[in-house]
Amino acid sequence: MLTARAWTLLGVGIALTGSGILLGYTDITRLGLLLLLLLGVTAVFARRASGDLRITRTVQPISIGRGQRATVTVIATNPAARRTGVSRVREQVDSRLGESQEFVLPAIGAHDAERLQYVVQGTVRGAHRLGPASRVIEDPFGLTRRRRTDERVDELIVLPTVTPLGPAQPPGAGIGSEGEIPQMVALHGDEDVSIRAYHQGDDLRKVHWKTTAHRGELMVRQEDRPSRRSALVLLDGRSNGHRGPSGQDSFEWAVSCAASVVVRLAELHYSVHLATAETLADASVDAPGEPGEQLRRLATATTCDSETFRRLRLRAREAVRAGAIVVAILTDVEDRVDDIAAMRQPGASGLAFILDTGTFVDPGAAPSAGAQLLRAALAGAGWRVCVVRSTTSVLEAWQEVSRRSLIRVGAL
């Protein structure tokens, strides 16, 4: 498109050409035509010099923790056989990562490339957009301006804050397991359950001679197959239950707690199920996941309504029927406490963090009646419970529910 200078030049050229023709002044007419010719030639050459650049973007690393930085590299490649002109590049950046970036991109030779770099800092949990990149090309006279936008958009994940929870671990492993359950060697009868035929390469020291003599073929003892203890982390994301200023509200504390517990349970070799509104939507509550993937899910976790949380509780109860331990991060809203209490299976432990959400608005607020009632109900059902105020750290809360002194009748 033409710039303001070009429109002015076009107007002057037309005026001079018209005046020269009307008044019969040949020199004025020639000057007007020269200005118009200059404008046309500049427009043609500016179009040819703009070129088509291919913009790609790499982010290192692709996910960061809150407060950490990532390096973004923008690579502009010229696939054409002619040189491009100088241009200005504006890289759109999510405002939560920082300001949009502007660069002067030098002329790029045929089949050559130019690299531009900038750094962003993650201050807010979530998935943040990087791009698109727009390029503005002007001719040396400032008469034409051409804008091109590369629609490619990349994403940077800012993970929730993960607090190291130290050596403390949840008491009671529970009876739940993921995958194969170990089979023990039978001592009285039913030898076929744990004894199988010999396969080439089996250790001869494991030959079961009694069964071999009885069957007339070589039999070996079946090795125990590995199993993993299982756990479920339930995140109460009800929007009517969380309070506090943005970024420091009770929901952010809950997400950070869930992330820290997921990492700690993975360190203890638990097979971890994550129950949030997002995992309910894609039915992944039933399947354990890797810590990295679950942290990325928590990075994009959002609040939900009460009906979604009700369906999440039902799905979570199905996932722990085998006896997995349950870690629940709850608000102080009293809503079907019996549903949550019943999630802890006999022989398995239940750990609950109850958020006193009023303290996230006013740190000096009196203890919430709802939090105390919920604490009493869950403790009576054999849960280990910690009421969390805004000043309570995730580490302090974890150490509280891990203390042996919290053992009650029916609890582990």
Side-chain angles (χ1 to χ4, degrees), residues 64-68 125 158-166 252-267 291-292 294-296 298-299 393-395:
I64 58 175
R66 292 182 61 179
Q68 295 180 341
R125 171 185 61 86
V158 179
L159 302 174
T161 301
V162 175
T163 301
L165 299 182
E252 287 302 316
W253 193 99
V255 171
S256 177
C257 179
S260 303
V261 171
V262 164
V263 172
R264 179 57 183 152
L265 292 176
E267 291 173 349
Q294 291 176 336
L295 287 181
R296 284 188 286 272
L298 288 170
S393 69
V394 174
L395 177 59

Side-chain angles (χ1 to χ4, degrees), residues 70-154:
T71 301
V72 183
T73 303
V74 179
I75 304 174
T77 305
N78 177 19
R82 61 175 180 268
R83 188 181 183 84
T84 66
V86 178
S87 57
R88 288 185 292 112
V89 175
R90 179 178 176 82
E91 171 85 338
Q92 296 291 335
V93 177
D94 192 309
S95 59
R96 293 171 294 181
L97 293 177
E99 298 181 351
S100 296
Q101 303 291 317
E102 292 192 2
F103 308 92
V104 175
L105 187 65
I108 303 176
H111 307 293
D112 204 353
E114 186 73 23
R115 291 173 177 265
L116 307 171
Q117 279 191 342
Y118 62 94
V119 176
V120 294
Q121 183 170 11
T123 56
V124 180
R125 171 185 61 86
H128 306 296
R129 290 164 55 97
L130 296 171
S134 59
R135 189 164 61 102
V136 176
I137 309 100
E138 292 186 356
D139 65 272
F141 299 105
L143 300 178
T144 59
R145 180 181 297 114
R146 187 175 180 84
R147 182 183 298 274
R148 293 194 173 183
T149 301
D150 185 275
E151 298 300 330
R152 174 172 175 172
V153 174
D154 290 278

Side-chain angles (χ1 to χ4, degrees), residues 1-222:
M1 58 184 178
L2 299 180
T3 63
R5 181 182 300 177
W7 285 109
T8 302
L9 188 63
L10 177 62
V12 172
I14 292 174
L16 290 177
T17 303
S19 300
I21 294 174
L22 291 176
L23 299 176
Y25 291 103
T26 305
D27 291 341
I28 294 179
T29 303
R30 290 174 179 172
L31 181 58
L33 291 175
L34 181 61
L35 293 177
L36 296 176
L37 179 61
L38 175 62
L39 182 59
V41 171
T42 301
V44 170
F45 277 94
R47 185 179 183 87
R48 288 177 57 85
S50 62
D52 291 321
L53 293 182
R54 184 181 298 115
I55 304 292
T56 57
R57 189 181 298 104
T58 60
V59 186
Q60 186 62 36
I62 59 174
S63 60
I64 58 175
R66 292 182 61 179
Q68 295 180 341
R69 296 184 177 185
T71 301
V72 183
T73 303
V74 179
I75 304 174
T77 305
N78 177 19
R82 61 175 180 268
R83 188 181 183 84
T84 66
V86 178
S87 57
R88 288 185 292 112
V89 175
R90 179 178 176 82
E91 171 85 338
Q92 296 291 335
V93 177
D94 192 309
S95 59
R96 293 171 294 181
L97 293 177
E99 298 181 351
S100 296
Q101 303 291 317
E102 292 192 2
F103 308 92
V104 175
L105 187 65
I108 303 176
H111 307 293
D112 204 353
E114 186 73 23
R115 291 173 177 265
L116 307 171
Q117 279 191 342
Y118 62 94
V119 176
V120 294
Q121 183 170 11
T123 56
V124 180
R125 171 185 61 86
H128 306 296
R129 290 164 55 97
L130 296 171
S134 59
R135 189 164 61 102
V136 176
I137 309 100
E138 292 186 356
D139 65 272
F141 299 105
L143 300 178
T144 59
R145 180 181 297 114
R146 187 175 180 84
R147 182 183 298 274
R148 293 194 173 183
T149 301
D150 185 275
E151 298 300 330
R152 174 172 175 172
V153 174
D154 290 278
E155 197 172 65
L156 174 65
I157 303 293
V158 179
L159 302 174
T161 301
V162 175
T163 301
L165 299 182
Q169 54 184 303
I175 59 175
S177 62
E178 297 289 344
E180 303 290 350
I181 299 175
Q183 294 182 351
M184 304 305 294
V185 177
L187 298 179
H188 303 287
D190 295 330
E191 292 180 325
D192 290 346
V193 174
S194 56
I195 297 176
R196 59 171 175 81
Y198 172 82
H199 298 299
Q200 186 174 3
D202 286 340
D203 190 347
L204 293 178
R205 290 175 296 179
K206 298 186 181 299
V207 173
H208 194 274
W209 296 109
K210 181 179 178 181
T211 307
T212 298
H214 176 71
R215 292 203 171 190
E217 62 176 319
L218 203 58
M219 306 293 290
V220 295
R221 293 190 299 273
Q222 173 69 54

